[in-house]
Amino acid sequence: MNATLDLDRAMHTAKEAAQAAAEASLRYWKTGLQIERKADNSPVTQGDKAAEAAILDVIRRDFPEHSILAEESGRDDKDSPYRWIIDPIDGTRGFTRGGQFWGALVGLEGPGGILAGAMALPALGDLYWAARGLGCFHNGERVQINQDPGSIAEATLSLGELSYLLRAPWQAPVLELIQEAELARCYGDLKGPALLLSGMADAWLEAGVQPWDLGPIPILIEEAGGVCTAFSGQATIHDQTALAAPKALHALLLARLQNQA
Ligand code: IPD
Ligand code: CA
C-alpha cells in the first residue's frame, strides 16, 4: 500500500493518458464506425476501447499499485488509497455522429476527493489538466474561471443532460434557473464544464451521470478558482449530479436546487 503520492507526477500521468486517448480515438473519428450496444443500451465503439486501452497503458506503467475504475473495462481493485477514474470517450453518441464535443476524462481519486486529472477534447485540440495546489492548465496556459457575476440574473448557465435535469426533484428549480439566468446553454457531455473553464459560462449543472463522467472535473474547476459539488452540496463524484461555479454563485444555485431560497 502506497500512502504517499507525488501530485506533480500524477498530474503529468493524467495529462499523458488523456493525450494518448485523444490520439487513439481520433483515428476512429468520422470513419463510419460500427456501434455496439452495452447492457444498459448505451453505445460503445472501437474508438472507446482503443482510447481506454491507451489510458490504461499509461496509468499501469506509472502507477501499477493504484486501483482503477474504467467505464468500459470496469474495476481493478488494489490495496491502495488511490484509484483512477476513467472515461475514454465522454460523449460517445456525438463521437459516432462526427460531432466535436467528446473526449477523455481521467481523474485520480484519493483521500479527500479528486487529487489530479485531465480532460481532452480531441476534435477541438483542447487539453486541460490540474492537480491539488498546482493549478489548472489549458494547452499550457493557466486557467482561471470568470469572476463571480454577482447574481443568477447576470449568469450564463451551462446545462448538461436535460432528460435528467428536467426530472423530479430537479425539474422545478432548474426551470426557474433557466428562466432567471441571463443565458442558458446546453452543449452536454464534457463540453458542459469546458464552457465554464473557457469563460463561456459562469456555472455548470449536470445530472444523471456516473463517476467516470465526472472524474477530473472537480479538480479542474477547483484549481481554476471555482467550487464543484454534487447537488447535495457534498464534494463527491458518486452522487450522479454536479454543480460548478464561482463560490458565491455556487452557493446561490445550491440553495435554489435544495429549495432553500
Ligand atoms: C454519457 C454522457 C452524458 C450522460 C449519459 C452518459 P458516455 O457518457 O456523460 O452526458 O447524460 O448518461 O452515458 O456514455 O458518452 O461516456
Ligand atoms: Ca464513455
Side-chain angles (χ1 to χ4, degrees):
M1 170 157 152
N2 173 13
T4 58
L5 177 75
D6 180 341
L7 271 177
D8 188 60
R9 183 162 168 256
M11 177 173 75
H12 283 95
T13 296
K15 181 185 171 198
E16 190 183 335
Q19 269 174 317
E23 282 165 29
S25 48
L26 273 176
R27 282 186 218 118
Y28 292 91
W29 186 43
K30 295 187 175 178
T31 60
L33 274 171
Q34 202 179 339
I35 301 168
E36 295 167 44
R37 292 279 163 185
K38 295 192 275 190
D40 64 357
N41 203 37
S42 65
V44 63
T45 69
Q46 272 306 107
D48 299 74
K49 292 175 188 173
E52 184 158 306
I55 293 170
L56 292 176
D57 278 352
V58 173
I59 288 170
R60 288 194 169 124
R61 179 199 69 197
D62 288 0
F63 294 101
E65 71 280 20
H66 289 178
S67 298
I68 285 170
L69 172 63
E71 180 176 10
E72 309 308 340
S73 54
R75 299 168 70 124
D76 180 5
D77 292 330
K78 302 271 170 69
D79 181 16
S80 168
Y82 302 110
R83 178 165 76 156
W84 292 85
I85 312 285
I86 297 163
D87 187 344
I89 297 184
D90 183 47
T92 298
R93 291 172 182 85
F95 174 73
T96 61
R97 292 171 189 182
Q100 297 182 311
F101 302 156
W102 53 269
L105 295 170
V106 180
L108 176 61
E109 188 178 43
I114 302 299
L115 303 173
M119 166 170 91
L121 290 96
L124 299 172
D126 286 329
L127 183 65
Y128 295 85
W129 63 93
R132 187 164 288 174
L134 300 181
C136 175
F137 301 87
H138 169 240
N139 293 355
E141 299 288 325
R142 190 83 184 234
V143 177
Q144 177 69 43
I145 60 168
N146 288 349
Q147 293 275 317
D148 208 297
S151 72
I152 294 168
E154 290 166 271
T156 291
L157 307 180
S158 169
L159 302 170
E161 179 54 49
L162 290 186
S163 62
Y164 288 97
L165 286 168
L166 296 181
R167 188 184 291 185
W170 315 119
Q171 183 182 35
V174 169
L175 277 174
E176 218 180 86
L177 290 171
I178 290 171
Q179 282 159 11
E180 188 172 332
E182 183 172 26
L183 286 170
R185 295 286 183 243
C186 195
Y187 288 78
D189 302 318
L190 77 182
K191 186 63 179 171
L195 285 195
L196 177 58
L197 290 167
S198 64
M200 294 168 68
D202 302 302
W204 171 59
L205 292 85
E206 180 63 281
V209 281
Q210 300 297 320
W212 48 79
D213 297 317
L214 298 174
I217 308 296
I219 194 68
L220 294 171
I221 301 285
E222 285 159 22
E223 288 297 317
V227 176
C228 184
T229 68
F231 288 0
S232 64
Q234 300 296 308
T236 178
I237 60 166
H238 300 280
D239 199 30
Q240 298 189 349
T241 56
L243 171 65
K247 194 172 174 197
L249 181 60
H250 181 276
L252 288 176
L253 294 168
L254 189 61
R256 293 301 188 86
L257 288 168
Q258 297 183 343
N259 287 322
Q260 289 167 0

